[in-house]
Amino acid sequence: LRSRSFTDAARDYGLPAPKGILLAGIQGTGKSLAAKTIAASWKLPLLRLDVGRCFGSLVGESESRIRKVIELAEAIAPCVLFIDEIEKSFSYNQSDGDSGTSRRVLATLLTWMQEKTTPVFIVATANNVELLPAELIRKGRIDEIFFVNLPNRKEREKIFQVHLSRLRPNRLNEFDFYLLGSRSSDLSGAEIEQVIYEAMQLGFSQEREFEINDILSAIASTVPLSQIAKSQIDSLKDWSTKSGAKNATKVESFISFNSVSLEVDN
């Protein structure tokens, strides 16, 4: 597992420190949570880079700020550096309305990603990956791209179990997880969490405990994002196939690279 790549034994073996990964995929499928889980699994500090706060009004201020972030990350290393929705800060068709500041900041970041030798593992997430410049996601700057797809039936069952174990641990035998997983086709992990809360709201409003029928009713009344943004999601799936991105919803693939379980990821 790649978590051992941060050890002295890995360095003695001649292995470089892992550089990072890009988690691309559909909104609500657990990409941001995965970054936190990677850090927790590897027992490393998690730093979140808010790129927007790095931009300043003075000439050269933005580049100076991103260099300070890099210095801080290297001082704390080994650590995980989390960049959420990276395409919102760096995209190939970004306008020049900021006098090229964003491109200079990107150039500073790219140089560091290519040349860094300190064990700072980057976890970047993206919803609209087609906006990302190729030089940001090429091999040598990140190790791998994972596509986080919608959960399948077995994975949806697990997601229901995770949330209901937390909310009603003494009532798990009252819920048919196979039925819930079968009826929740096309729902993301975030949407599954919300239908449970909707069912709880219904039970609470009637001064009773919520039941599986309440969850099924909430599922039936939910229009999933996969239907609302079907063309965008189909385009994202097509990109993942062409780019050779690994499927993060396959347990073997995701665990072997990140030591992160699918249950937590979704």
Side-chain angles (χ1 to χ4, degrees):
L1 296 180
R2 297 231 178 175
S3 58
R4 293 192 62 226
S5 296
F6 290 107
T7 63
D8 292 336
R11 285 193 292 272
D12 292 341
Y13 194 81
L15 284 173
K19 289 183 177 291
I21 59 172
L22 172 69
L23 299 176
I26 302 165
Q27 296 182 23
T29 49
K31 299 186 296 298
S32 299
L33 180 60
K36 300 174 185 178
T37 308
I38 291 169
S41 176
W42 289 357
K43 298 180 176 60
L44 294 178
L46 175 67
L47 306 180
R48 178 168 180 164
L49 173 56
D50 185 347
V51 179
R53 297 185 64 180
C54 291
F55 290 99
S57 58
L58 302 178
V59 176
E61 184 178 8
S62 302
E63 299 93 309
S64 176
R65 287 180 177 179
I66 197 68
R67 284 192 289 268
K68 287 181 180 179
V69 169
I70 291 171
E71 290 173 3
L72 175 62
E74 291 185 332
I76 297 175
C79 64
V80 174
L81 181 63
F82 175 37
I83 310 175
D84 198 18
E85 297 184 344
I86 193 171
E87 79 278 14
K88 291 185 177 180
S89 301
F90 307 117
S91 62
Y92 74 88
N93 63 350
Q94 198 161 2
S95 68
D96 291 325
D98 59 0
S99 301
T101 300
S102 59
R103 294 184 180 181
R104 291 195 299 272
V105 170
L106 175 60
T108 301
L109 184 64
L110 289 177
T111 300
W112 174 68
M113 290 173 65
Q114 176 67 36
E115 299 178 355
K116 70 182 176 73
T117 57
T118 52
V120 178
F121 188 79
I122 297 172
V123 179
T125 69
N127 296 320
N128 195 349
V129 289
E130 293 180 333
L131 294 178
L132 291 174
E135 61 267 27
L136 180 61
I137 58 176
R138 73 166 174 80
K139 294 286 188 177
R141 290 197 170 107
I142 61 171
D143 297 313
E144 194 59 78
I145 300 173
F146 285 95
F147 175 65
V148 188
N149 205 344
L150 290 170
N152 60 33
R153 179 188 57 78
K154 289 185 178 180
E155 293 161 359
R156 293 194 299 272
E157 289 181 34
K158 282 288 187 182
I159 296 169
F160 275 109
Q161 289 178 15
V162 167
H163 289 302
L164 291 172
S165 295
R166 174 174 54 87
L167 296 167
R168 293 295 187 273
N170 298 324
R171 296 182 54 215
L172 289 183
N173 60 344
E174 300 177 23
F175 299 99
D176 184 339
F177 292 107
Y178 179 86
L179 178 61
L180 290 172
S182 300
R183 294 283 187 89
S184 55
S185 178
D186 295 331
L187 292 187
S188 67
E191 289 168 334
I192 288 175
E193 183 179 19
Q194 288 306 307
V195 299
I196 294 175
Y197 286 138
E198 186 176 336
M200 294 177 69
Q201 287 283 2
L202 179 59
F204 182 75
S205 67
Q206 298 178 3
E207 298 183 349
R208 62 173 175 81
E209 272 292 336
F210 72 98
E211 301 172 350
I212 187 172
N213 287 334
D214 298 318
I215 300 178
L216 294 174
S217 296
I219 292 172
S221 64
T222 299
V223 180
L225 181 66
S226 58
Q227 293 181 21
I228 298 173
K230 186 177 185 304
S231 60
Q232 180 182 340
I233 291 174
D234 287 345
S235 176
L236 181 58
K237 291 179 179 179
D238 183 60
W239 175 89
S240 72
T241 301
K242 292 179 179 178
S243 68
K246 294 187 177 180
N247 192 347
T249 59
K250 292 182 178 179
V251 178
E252 297 83 5
S253 172
F254 211 26
I255 290 180
S256 65
F257 196 91
N258 294 319
S259 308
V260 178
S261 73
L262 179 65
E263 177 178 312
V264 177
D265 171 54
N266 283 313

